[in-house]
């Protein structure tokens, strides 16, 4: 009962903190003339990836390889199919030029890079060592530099795509310090809320007797993705589509490059080929996302696309439980 109460408190923290984080990030974007998609790809993405970072780094240091790698793979699948799917059902997601030609392809690249590092052996298991962890961190730095360059462009960012503009909310804008404080409070709240939900769900699942792999791909992955889920839904409802897309894609990228990079650098991670099917699914989902802007209704992920993604996610969860 205590764990259930803590989980409920965690949910409340997540919902409120996500709202504060979205508002603060949007105000920063307006006041500093930074495109919202850049804020979503950096500040919000790193902030909402904090639960994954804490769980995976801790698991790696404690030699729980399944929990460390399964959390990231499972979270990315949840981000891709469930979160983007739900957001596009709420409101069709319209892609900017840079998202189509760089951010989505870079997301696909990072997934392929992780897959390559995980299968570069003839045995049933492999090690993501410290050198490979550093390689991931180098690409993470490159991605951050790209976002800093995009931030300096300000209003010129994606100027050819005049159909998408940063949404100005009707309510009174806060000062820059209030906006920054809101971002910090939002991130801290998400971290605390995520911890409460994750710890509670893990303890309850252990009582039920679920394996570590299944826990990492389902319970932990879904729990640590709650900040991204709630933040992206809140942003979509507010009309901040760029923030919602940037949050998910940024989280996808940082989960692999930053979190696995840090985890492997601190303590090499043992990878099992049992996760190959999940990485293949994630890669196919990323490729499908990359095709959406060029097929059907141009430059959009439609409600139909979202429904298909959510159905795939439900079938994915069902297969995990059935095969467990």
């Amino acid at each position: 009962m205590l764990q259930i109460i803590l989980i409920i408190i965690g949910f409340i923290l997540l919902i409120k903190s996500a709202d504060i984080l979205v508002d603060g990030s949007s105000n920063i974007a307006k006041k500093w003339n930074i495109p919202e998609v850049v804020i979503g790809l950096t500040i919000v993405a790193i902030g909402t990836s904090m639960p994954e970072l804490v769980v995976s780094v801790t698991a790696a240091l404690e030699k729980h390889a399944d929990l460390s790698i399964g959390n990231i793979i499972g979270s990315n699948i949840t981000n891709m199919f469930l979160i983007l799917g739900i957001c596009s059902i709420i409101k069709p997601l319209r892609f900017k030029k840079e998202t189509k030609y760089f951010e989505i392809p870079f997301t696909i690249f990072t997934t392929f890079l992780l897959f390559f590092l995980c299968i570069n052996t003839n045995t049933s298991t492999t090690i993501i060592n410290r050198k490979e962890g550093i390689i991931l961190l180098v690409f993470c730095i490159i991605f951050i530099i790209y976002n800093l360059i995009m931030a300096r462009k300000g209003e010129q960012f994606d100027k050819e795509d005049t159909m998408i503009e940063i949404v100005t909310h009707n309510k009174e804008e806060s000062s820059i310090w209030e906006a920054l404080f809101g971002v910090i409070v939002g991130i801290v709240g998400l971290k605390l809320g995520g911890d409460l939900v994750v710890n509670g769900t893990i303890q309850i699942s252990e009582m039920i007797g679920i394996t570590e792999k299944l826990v990492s791909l389902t319970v932990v992955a879904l729990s640590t993705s709650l900040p991204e889920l709630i933040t992206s839904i809140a942003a979509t409802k507010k009309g901040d589509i760029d923030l919602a897309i940037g949050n998910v894609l940024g989280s996808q990228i940082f989960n692999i490059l930053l979190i696995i990079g840090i985890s492997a650098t601190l303590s090499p991670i043992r990878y099992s080929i049992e996760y190959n099917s999940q990485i293949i699914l994630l890669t196919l989902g990323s490729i499908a996302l990359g095709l959406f802007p060029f097929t059907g209704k141009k430059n959009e992920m439609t409600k139909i696309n979202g429904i298909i993604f959510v159905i795939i996610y439900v079938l994915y969860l069902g297969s995990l439980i059935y095969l467990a």
Side-chain angles (χ1 to χ4, degrees):
M1 181 59 67
L2 175 61
Q3 297 303 325
I4 293 175
I5 293 173
L6 291 176
I7 289 174
I8 293 173
I9 294 174
F11 271 115
I12 295 173
L13 266 175
L14 286 170
I15 294 170
K16 186 59 181 176
S17 299
D19 194 51
I20 294 173
L21 180 58
V22 169
D23 286 340
S25 301
S26 297
N27 283 329
I28 289 175
K30 297 180 185 74
K31 289 182 178 297
W32 285 355
N33 201 29
I34 300 173
E36 285 190 335
V37 69
V38 175
I39 295 292
L41 284 164
T42 53
I43 297 174
V44 180
I46 293 176
T48 55
S49 290
M50 284 299 294
E52 288 95 329
L53 177 61
V54 173
V55 170
S56 289
V57 171
T58 302
L61 291 174
E62 295 179 358
K63 307 301 180 183
H64 291 287
D66 278 342
L67 186 57
S68 181
I69 197 77
N71 171 42
I72 297 303
I73 296 173
S75 292
N76 277 14
I77 290 175
T78 301
N79 289 345
M80 176 68 63
F81 291 100
L82 181 64
I83 299 179
L84 279 181
I86 291 176
C87 287
S88 64
I89 291 172
I90 294 173
K91 185 176 294 186
L93 304 180
R94 189 165 176 80
F95 300 102
K96 281 195 170 187
K97 179 164 62 69
E98 276 75 8
T99 301
K100 291 190 298 181
Y101 295 116
F102 180 81
E103 285 131 24
I104 293 178
F106 195 76
T107 301
I108 298 172
F109 166 75
T110 57
T111 306
F112 271 113
L113 178 60
L114 175 63
F115 196 25
F116 172 77
L117 295 179
C118 292
I119 64 171
N120 59 352
T121 180
N122 293 324
T123 61
S124 60
T125 59
T126 187
I127 300 294
I128 304 177
N129 57 43
R130 287 189 172 89
K131 289 182 179 179
E132 292 169 333
I134 292 173
I135 290 174
L136 292 174
L137 290 176
V138 168
F139 279 108
C140 182
I141 292 172
I142 292 173
F143 180 67
I144 292 174
I145 291 174
Y146 159 79
N147 279 285
L148 292 176
I149 294 173
M150 290 298 102
R152 292 189 62 184
K153 288 187 176 183
E155 290 183 346
Q156 297 302 313
F157 183 88
D158 203 18
K159 62 182 180 180
E160 296 177 4
D161 194 351
T162 57
M163 296 184 66
I164 307 177
E165 299 176 355
I166 295 177
V167 176
T168 302
H169 302 302
N170 293 327
K171 61 184 177 181
E172 183 180 351
E173 292 185 5
S174 59
S175 69
I176 188 64
W177 295 111
E178 289 174 334
L180 286 171
F181 180 72
V183 170
I184 294 172
V185 169
I187 290 174
V188 171
L190 285 170
K191 172 64 173 63
L192 294 176
D195 282 348
L196 288 175
V197 174
V198 170
N199 293 335
T201 50
I202 288 178
Q203 289 190 33
I204 290 176
S205 62
E206 286 178 347
M207 294 176 187
I208 299 174
I210 304 175
T211 64
E212 186 174 292
K213 178 189 175 184
L214 183 59
V215 170
S216 66
L217 287 172
T218 55
V219 178
V220 178
L222 183 57
S223 298
T224 55
S225 291
L226 284 175
E228 287 94 334
L229 174 62
I230 297 172
T231 301
S232 292
I233 289 177
T236 302
K237 287 182 176 180
K238 290 175 183 289
D240 297 326
I241 302 299
D242 289 341
L243 199 62
I245 296 174
N247 173 39
V248 172
L249 294 181
S251 294
Q252 295 276 94
I253 293 168
F254 282 119
N255 281 351
I256 293 175
L257 300 182
L258 180 64
I259 298 177
I260 294 184
I262 290 177
S263 300
T265 301
L266 293 175
S267 178
I269 303 172
R270 186 179 68 84
Y271 172 84
S272 172
I273 60 172
E274 293 179 358
Y275 288 104
N276 283 359
S277 59
Q278 280 80 36
I279 294 187
I280 291 173
L281 174 62
L282 180 60
T283 303
L284 292 176
S286 300
I287 293 173
L289 181 65
L291 293 176
F292 288 154
F294 305 99
T295 58
K297 195 168 183 179
K298 191 175 180 182
N299 297 329
E300 277 193 7
M301 180 174 180
T302 64
K303 290 186 179 182
I304 297 298
N305 298 145
I307 292 172
I308 293 173
F309 263 35
V310 171
I311 290 174
I312 291 174
Y313 182 76
V314 172
L315 293 175
Y316 156 74
L317 284 185
S319 67
L320 288 177
I321 296 172
Y322 177 76
L323 297 174

